[in-house]
């Protein structure tokens, strides 16, 4: 019965995630590699389009399975409220309001919250503005990669999560990174599940450096082929080891 309930919850969670078909309507060269550790996931992605501005987010909530899934629902709901209902448009300011929203939703500035004091999420949020031909990105304890020709650039986020520990700092400030949009530019946003997976001949983590190299080596491959490449690489590396976390990678090419 419990498994049946969680399986039904998966249908609800999947219904809240934007479809790849919707994203491809605006970004034909894009892919999503989504591999939850359990039936439901603590990783989620989010998308919204308004006035020739595209918003994309990739988030990694505290934990995985049912607790992580609850946090993912809170995060998705708050993003809809902040961006769609309240029309906030600047990525770092969206994250600042998301942080306040999570703290309020979980009563994390109360002394009676118990274990929920540590619950939160790491997230990358970007806005592709085709009116100004700029890309704006803000990262909360996350990073992202931009490949521009033969260069791959790390966008290092702020070392602050959304919600969670140190919630006495409710009004956290996040950095807004701005770049010109260029034809052929590629953007990759991801959780840490891929690079933290144990495996290989010495049963060690895949690591961020190897993940970066994997993305760069396949920069000239069609976006729709990346899902298979990532899955084969991940499963080969993992081998007989158990998957330790949810895995999410979202890539787009302009």
């Amino acid at each position: 019965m419990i498994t049946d309930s969680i399986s039904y919850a998966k249908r609800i969670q999947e219904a809240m995630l934007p479809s790849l078909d919707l994203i491809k309507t605006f970004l034909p060269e894009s892919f999503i590699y989504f591999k939850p550790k359990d039936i439901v996931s603590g990783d989620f992605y989010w998308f919204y389009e308004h006035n020739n501005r595209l918003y994309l987010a990739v988030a990694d909530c505290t934990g995985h399975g049912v607790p992580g899934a609850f946090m993912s629902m809170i995060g998705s709901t708050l993003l809809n409220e902040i961006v769609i209902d309240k029309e906030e448009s600047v990525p770092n300011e969206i994250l600042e309001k998301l942080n306040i929203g999570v703290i309020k939703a979980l009563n994390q500035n109360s002394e009676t919250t118990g274990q929920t004091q540590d619950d939160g999420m790491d997230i990358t949020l970007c806005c592709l503005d085709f009116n100004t031909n700029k890309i704006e990105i803000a990262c909360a304890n996350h990073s992202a990669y931009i490949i521009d020709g033969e260069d791959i650039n790390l966008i290092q986020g702020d070392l602050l999560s959304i919600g969670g520990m140190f919630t006495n700092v409710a009004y956290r400030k996040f950095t807004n990174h701005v770049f010109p949009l260029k034809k052929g530019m590629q953007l990759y946003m991801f959780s840490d599940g891929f690079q933290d997976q144990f495996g290989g001949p010495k049963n060690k983590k895949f690591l961020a450096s190897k993940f970066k190299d994997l993305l760069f080596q396949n920069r000239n491959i069609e976006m729709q082929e990346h899902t298979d490449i990532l899955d084969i690489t991940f499963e080969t590396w993992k081998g007989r080891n158990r998957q330790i976390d949810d895995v999410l990678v979202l890539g787009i090419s302009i």
Side-chain angles (χ1 to χ4, degrees), residues 19-213:
S19 71
L20 182 57
D21 288 341
L22 172 63
I23 296 174
K24 281 181 172 290
T25 300
F26 300 96
L27 297 165
E29 284 294 311
S30 58
F31 76 88
I32 298 170
Y33 179 57
F34 187 41
K35 195 177 187 70
K37 175 185 180 295
D38 301 307
I39 298 174
V40 288
S41 175
D43 287 3
F44 74 94
Y45 52 95
W46 179 85
F47 173 79
Y48 176 62
E49 184 276 333
H50 182 64
N51 288 341
N52 220 24
R53 291 167 62 92
L54 308 181
Y55 297 88
L56 288 154
V58 162
D60 183 353
C61 299
T62 304
H64 41 74
V66 174
F70 271 113
M71 282 302 305
S72 76
M73 302 286 273
I74 291 172
S76 180
T77 301
L78 285 172
L79 284 172
N80 286 334
E81 177 184 316
I82 294 165
V83 181
I84 300 175
D85 298 338
K86 296 183 178 179
E87 299 185 348
E88 181 58 70
S89 61
V90 184
N92 67 317
E93 295 177 7
I94 294 170
L95 294 193
E96 288 159 13
K97 288 180 171 58
L98 178 63
N99 180 58
I100 295 171
V102 168
I103 291 172
K104 287 182 178 179
L106 299 179
N107 293 313
Q108 288 183 328
N109 42 14
S110 168
E111 295 181 358
T112 61
T113 53
Q115 292 182 341
T116 61
Q117 191 71 24
D118 293 339
D119 292 332
M121 66 190 70
D122 302 332
I123 184 171
T124 296
L125 175 70
C126 83
C127 173
L128 305 174
D129 190 337
F130 291 99
N131 299 307
T132 61
N133 285 322
K134 292 181 180 179
I135 177 172
E136 300 179 47
I137 305 175
C139 307
N141 203 33
H142 249 196
S143 58
Y145 290 115
I146 286 180
I147 296 179
D148 183 9
E150 295 301 306
D151 297 319
I152 181 167
N153 301 302
L154 171 68
I155 302 164
Q156 184 64 61
D158 299 286
L159 297 177
L160 295 168
S161 295
I162 300 297
M165 298 182 69
F166 311 115
T167 50
N168 57 317
V169 189
Y171 296 97
R172 300 172 189 172
K173 294 296 182 182
F174 296 95
T175 305
N176 208 50
H177 304 269
V178 183
F179 305 91
L181 269 177
K182 299 179 183 177
K183 185 176 180 180
M185 173 186 283
Q186 298 171 359
L187 169 67
Y188 297 91
M189 304 188 294
F190 43 87
S191 65
D192 59 7
F194 199 113
Q195 51 201 352
D196 284 351
Q197 179 60 46
F198 284 93
K202 297 183 179 179
N203 197 31
K204 293 186 176 182
K205 288 186 177 182
F206 193 82
L207 296 179
S209 57
K210 197 179 275 83
F211 181 67
K212 175 184 177 182
D213 290 342

